[in-house]
Structure formats: structure tokens, C-alpha cells
Amino acid sequence: MTNEELLSTYGPRESMEYDVVIVGAGPGGLATAIRLKQQAAAHGKEVSVVVLEKGSEPGAHILSGAIVDPRALTELIPDWKAKGAPLNQPVTEDAYVFLGEQGGSFRIPNLFLPPFANNHGNYIVSLGDVTRWLAAQAEALGVEIFPGFAAAEVLYDEGGAVKGVATGNMGVGKDGEPTDHFQLGMELLGKYTVFAEGARGHLGKQLIARYKLDEGRDPQSWGLGVKELWEIDPERHQPGLVVHTAGWPMDPSTYGGGFIYHLDGNRVALGFVTGLNYSNPYLSPFEEFQRWKTHPNVRWYLENAKGEVTGKRLSYGARAINASGINALPKFVFPGGALIGCNAGFLNVSRIKGSHSAIKTGMLAADAAFAAITAGRQHDELKNYTLGFENSWLYPELQKDRNFKNWFRWGLSVGTLMNGFEQYVLRGHFPWTLHRKKPDYAYLKPASECTPIDYPKPDGKLTFDRLSSVFMSSTNHEENQPSHLTLKDASVPVDINLAKYAGPEARYCPAGVYEFVDDGKGGQRLQINAQNCVHCKTCDIKDPTQNIVWVAPEGGGGPNYASM
């Protein structure tokens, strides 16, 4: 049954009304909620706020490096230290290293690092733990948080303005028919709805298209971050050390780089980001990450003095990040709502930081919404949010780094040189702007024009396969539900993607969701293992035919990241 048929048979849906509905209990969504309640208390007003979270709890789906710039958090909660915010490990040292193919390396002297490479005053954190703490702060202020409820549909009023969202139906079987456990979704109606879904939010994507919010802007660009959390030998652990790498295993024309962040408790976060504008369909971001760990400069941290890998992998995850910059930032207000944080693309790609901008934009959206509600308005555009951003410290921060990723279209050497010149020599003051004209999926070349990449087999100690990695992410979905990875045309994966591009979905997915298997008729078919999905959204971004559409699964499904 279609959603319309379910509604006509079992409806109408129950509804609840709030002043503000927030989709996503990440740092941005929770900052919005907290700020609204703070403003209400300061002005002696009552403002009702609800936050929907598709994960089993706030933080369950949060994945980031992460190094947090506390500037926005300090504005939101000045006494965050006294309140026990889990920002426990300050950065003590930065290291930027170029890796060579034969195991060589070169570290840039810190004297020559541009300002964006300086992490003094920042903290290495588990962003999931920070999110859980923010959720507790929000609830203490009276915010209602509904975990395990995925916002599946945007609701519009008769004038075309957003009036809220509907949660997904529960208990629908694989065949689309209601089971004995069927429960119709609920409508959450608000005077304003704030979308804080993170990068490539599926509702945010629809809103951008409906209201043409990206008209006149550069196409957005993305990277896939793959991360592991390790416990290592205390002798190889340096609390507060931040290492970023460039070069190998990426070829000079492919954007990407790694990070090694030393947390407390002998833990390190290892990760690798691959730009999703890569051209070779044989490239696998997951395998590039595994290969990167074999470089002596990376492997060293996971070994003991005898050269044995003694580190223990604790967790695994993957997530797309919006690496577009301000040139691709869409209009982020529309009738009845707003986009904040990575749902719009506020991440600063040069600093590899988005949590501070998510918190700041959430605060700005909250201020605009509070002023509108107390003035008796609803379902119009929050123009003061746009003005607030343009007058905030975040706007010049993003402006001065606007060319960062675009320089790398000419390769690693030119990108490094020109970014160093713009930021170190010119200190971010330059009159030119580089633009991007193609979306990431359009860069993929036919397999006939590319060289296959032979990746080494995993050893199970330092390098791993996809399925054992997914197990480490605690990913789980209700098996008897419609696939949340949908195809516009079921013939495209074999007839076009496999025939022309050698089936890139089997390689760009970091969770083993997509497999080409024997169809029993002498050919192949695409098998979708939706239960493996870690919600990274890479398929929705990189599919060369844009045939795959990611939608929200039944609430509570997906990864359950611990301290990631």
C-alpha cells in the first residue's frame, strides 16, 4: 500500500501542535531548542519546542572526527565546564604531514601553517557524547525530545508554507502491507519548523528542490569520512596530539586526507576523508582508508615497540560531510522554516569543523523564530536568521575559506600552494572567487577510461573488511520493513551503472549495502542489503545516474555509535 492508501484506510493521523518543531537532535537542533527556551525564560514567555530524532537516542547517529571549536558552545552555555560538558581533552599539538607512496613523509613546520590549521584552544571530543550532554541540557529546560521517531514527510499548508512534519509509519512489512504491529505516523505541527538533519538530509534535499533554494549557487560538494576508534599502547599515545595527513594513498588529482586525533584514555580516532568528486569508478573510499593505515607514519601509533599491532579497534562508522563552502550555501529560509548546520552546508571545510557552525546557526535560527512567534507571526520566512548570519562571526570565517576545496581541482600541489598563499600570506583577504560547475556524481568517468585499483586483502588486525566493520557500528534495522534505499528505475543499476561504470555502488558504499550477484539467468542483478546501512548518504550523493534515493527507515534503525 502507498502512504496515501494507508492514510485513507487508517487515518487521519493524530497531531500535536508546538511553537517550533525541530528535525534532528544533533548539536545544531539541540542548540536551537536550548536557545529558544533560554529566550523564553529571559523574556518571561512560554515557547513549546519538540525535537525529533531518528536514532535510538540523541547521539546514536552522530559521527565526526571531532575537534570542537568551543566558541559557539560558550555563547550558548557559558558555564559548560561547570555543567560537565564532555570536552575533556584540549588540543596540545598540531602536525600536518604529507605522506609518500614508498613510506616516506614530510611534516610542515608549524611556523608555516596557515591560521585554519591552528587548533589551539579547541578540544578533541566524542561528538556523540557531546550531543548526549546537550540533550540533557535541553530536557532540563523543558524541551521535549522524541528519539526513535524519524521525520518522514514535510507537511505544507494551503499557501505552500511548511506547517510541520509527519513521522514515518511503524510496522509496515517488506511488501508494503501493514503488519499486526502497524501504527500510523504522527503529525507534529509548528509555527516554524527547523531542519537539522545533518549532511544530505533527505527532507532538506526536498525543500531545496521545492523552493529552488540553490538557484544561482554552486553545486554542493561532499566528502565521505570513514572513521575508527582505537585503544592503543600508552607508550604511543600523546593526549591532545592532532595529526592531519595529505598525499598517499590518494593520487595527486584526487581530493582526500587522513586524521589521527589523540583523545584521553589511550584512545585515538583514526579517519580518512575522500572527496566524492573523484573520477575513477574503481576507487573505494573504505579501502583507501584501510590502505592509509598501513603507512608507517600511521601504523606506528597502532603498534608496540616490537612492531606488532597491539591496538584494539573499538568502533567503526562512516558519514558524508558537506565540503562545499559558502559559494554553494543555498538560501536557508523558506515559508515556515529554516535549514541549519550541515543540512544547509555550513561546515568549514578548511578547518574540517562543522559543530561550531551548527550550534551557531541553530542559535541564530532560534533567535529569529522566537522574535517572530512573540510578534504573533507564523509560517513566513525568518529573514532575521539570514541577517543574523551575515552579521555574525561565522560569515567572515566561511568567506575567507571559500576557495579551499576548489583549488584542489588542479591537484594536491596547486591546492596546497594556493591555499597557503591565500591564508598564510594574504590572511584570508583576496578579491577572487573560484566556482564549481558540476555536482560530484558528474565527475565519474566510464570504467573503460580508468585503471582498476588492486586493493590488498584485510589482515583482520590492522585492516578490516566491510562486514566486520559494520558489526562494530552496532547497526541494526527492523528486517521486515520496506527498504529505505529506493531506486527510481530498477533496471538502471545493471543496464547503466554496471555496464558503463563497473558498478561503483559496490565500492563507494562503506557498509556493503550494494552487491551485484548472479540473477540465475546468466546475468547479474543489484542486491541491496539495507540492514547494513550506516546512514552515510554516499549512495544518494555519488550514484552517477542519481537513481538511488535515500529515505528515512523505521525510527530507531541504523547505527548506534558509542563514543564516536
Side-chain angles (χ1 to χ4, degrees):
M1 299 175 71
T2 66
N3 189 52
E4 290 73 18
E5 290 171 334
L6 289 170
L7 274 173
S8 64
T9 304
Y10 297 95
R13 291 180 288 218
E14 294 183 14
S15 65
M16 299 175 67
E17 294 189 10
Y18 294 86
D19 289 313
V20 180
V21 175
I22 300 169
V23 180
L30 293 169
T32 307
I34 290 169
R35 183 70 164 191
L36 281 164
K37 286 295 188 178
Q38 289 173 337
Q39 290 282 40
H43 292 84
K45 303 287 185 179
E46 288 291 333
V47 175
S48 56
V49 184
V50 66
V51 183
L52 294 177
E53 168 55 41
K54 66 183 176 66
S56 60
E57 65 171 348
H61 290 178
I62 294 293
L63 181 74
S64 181
I67 297 176
V68 167
D69 178 343
R71 182 174 186 177
L73 180 61
T74 301
E75 291 181 357
L76 180 67
I77 306 175
D79 58 344
W80 55 264
K81 284 188 178 180
K83 289 185 174 179
L87 279 71
N88 303 317
Q89 182 55 66
V91 175
T92 58
E93 182 181 356
D94 282 296
Y96 278 75
V97 182
F98 284 88
L99 304 181
E101 187 171 355
Q102 302 300 321
S105 64
F106 170 73
R107 177 174 174 175
I108 301 175
N110 282 21
L111 178 65
F112 299 111
L113 291 177
F116 64 72
N118 180 8
N119 282 294
H120 177 74
N122 299 330
Y123 293 81
I124 306 172
V125 305
S126 157
L127 195 59
D129 289 347
V130 173
T131 299
R132 293 177 182 92
W133 178 83
L134 283 170
Q137 307 311 302
E139 289 182 319
L141 293 172
V143 174
E144 294 184 44
I145 301 177
F146 294 165
F149 287 88
E153 180 185 351
V154 182
L155 303 176
Y156 302 93
D157 66 17
E158 292 180 357
V162 173
K163 67 175 184 178
V165 295
T167 63
N169 302 321
M170 308 284 278
V172 178
K174 279 186 176 181
D175 57 2
E177 297 297 317
T179 68
D180 293 340
H181 305 291
F182 175 75
Q183 183 177 342
L184 203 60
M186 177 177 289
E187 293 185 355
L188 286 301
L189 306 177
K191 294 172 182 174
Y192 296 97
T193 306
V194 176
F195 294 84
E197 303 168 280
R200 195 67 168 195
H202 84 290
L203 297 183
K205 175 184 169 183
Q206 295 173 27
L207 291 163
I208 290 171
R210 179 184 178 96
Y211 294 111
K212 299 180 180 178
L213 303 178
D214 57 352
E215 195 168 56
R217 310 301 292 161
D218 288 1
Q220 292 201 340
S221 185
W222 314 84
L224 173 60
V226 184
K227 175 186 174 183
E228 293 174 349
L229 184 68
W230 285 65
E231 183 180 359
I232 64 170
D233 188 329
E235 296 298 319
R236 299 288 168 98
H237 184 245
Q238 184 180 332
L241 173 64
V242 168
V243 180
H244 288 102
T245 76
W248 191 86
M250 294 285 94
D251 64 74
S253 62
T254 303
Y255 181 86
F259 62 85
I260 307 168
Y261 299 160
H262 289 242
L263 297 103
D264 54 0
N266 298 322
R267 298 175 302 154
V268 294
L270 301 169
F272 198 88
V273 176
T274 301
L276 291 180
N277 60 340
Y278 66 82
S279 60
N280 187 342
Y282 292 108
L283 187 147
S284 163
F286 176 86
E287 266 86 13
E288 293 294 342
F289 169 54
Q290 300 302 324
R291 185 161 63 156
W292 170 78
K293 287 187 293 180
T294 67
H295 192 282
N297 284 57
V298 180
R299 181 188 178 104
W300 185 86
Y301 292 105
L302 309 177
E303 297 176 328
N304 62 13
K306 297 179 181 179
E308 303 165 328
V309 176
T310 53
K312 178 183 179 183
R313 188 171 68 148
L314 303 176
S315 191
Y316 165 84
R319 187 69 171 93
I321 63 173
N322 192 315
S324 309
I326 198 169
N327 297 334
L329 191 66
K331 181 181 178 182
F332 42 85
V333 295
F334 43 86
L339 304 173
I340 67 167
C342 290
N343 211 3
F346 283 102
L347 180 137
N348 185 326
V349 64
S350 69
R351 300 183 69 198
I352 326 176
K353 291 179 178 61
S355 56
H356 73 302
S357 56
I359 292 171
K360 182 62 177 177
T361 53
M363 294 170 65
L364 293 169
D367 289 344
F370 178 79
I373 290 167
T374 53
R377 292 161 43 202
Q378 64 177 335
H379 297 171
D380 58 2
E381 284 194 10
L382 296 172
K383 295 181 179 178
N384 282 348
Y385 171 28
T386 303
L387 294 174
F389 166 63
E390 292 173 351
N391 290 304
S392 73
W393 49 260
L394 183 59
Y395 181 81
E397 177 187 316
L398 297 181
Q399 270 287 357
K400 69 177 183 174
D401 292 332
R402 63 187 179 272
N403 292 334
F404 182 84
K405 189 175 180 182
N406 287 344
W407 279 121
F408 286 96
R409 77 178 67 162
W410 289 285
L412 177 61
S413 298
V414 172
T416 302
L417 178 65
M418 290 309 301
N419 276 299
F421 176 68
E422 285 185 350
Q423 302 301 326
Y424 184 78
V425 179
L426 301 181
R427 295 292 169 177
H429 301 289
F430 45 87
W432 52 81
T433 298
L434 304 181
H435 289 282
R436 185 186 306 108
K437 296 183 179 180
K438 294 196 300 183
D440 286 345
Y441 66 85
Y443 284 88
L444 206 64
K445 294 179 179 179
S448 60
E449 299 177 15
C450 300
T451 303
I453 302 174
D454 183 22
Y455 291 108
K457 291 184 178 181
D459 61 17
K461 296 180 180 179
L462 177 67
T463 58
F464 304 91
D465 61 21
R466 282 175 171 81
L467 294 185
S468 67
S469 298
V470 172
F471 177 79
M472 299 292 290
S473 70
S474 300
T475 294
N476 183 58
H477 294 87
E478 167 59 46
E479 192 167 344
N480 184 28
Q481 65 172 300
S483 174
H484 64 282
L485 302 159
T486 65
L487 302 176
K488 297 176 183 176
D489 184 336
S491 68
V492 165
V494 171
D495 293 351
I496 299 178
N497 287 7
L498 184 61
K500 185 175 181 179
Y501 300 103
E505 49 267 72
R507 288 179 289 277
Y508 60 57
C509 174
V513 169
Y514 300 98
E515 290 184 281
F516 285 95
V517 299
D518 190 335
D519 67 357
K521 303 175 183 178
Q524 290 187 292
R525 63 177 179 85
L526 180 65
Q527 178 172 292
I528 300 178
N529 306 307
Q531 293 89 345
N532 290 359
C533 179
V534 294
H535 298 196
C536 73
K537 312 290 183 70
T538 303
C539 55
D540 196 281
I541 296 165
K542 189 59 178 175
D543 179 21
T545 51
Q546 292 294 277
N547 187 53
I548 299 173
V549 179
W550 192 101
V551 300
E554 193 170 289
N560 277 283
Y561 293 131
S563 298
M564 290 285 272

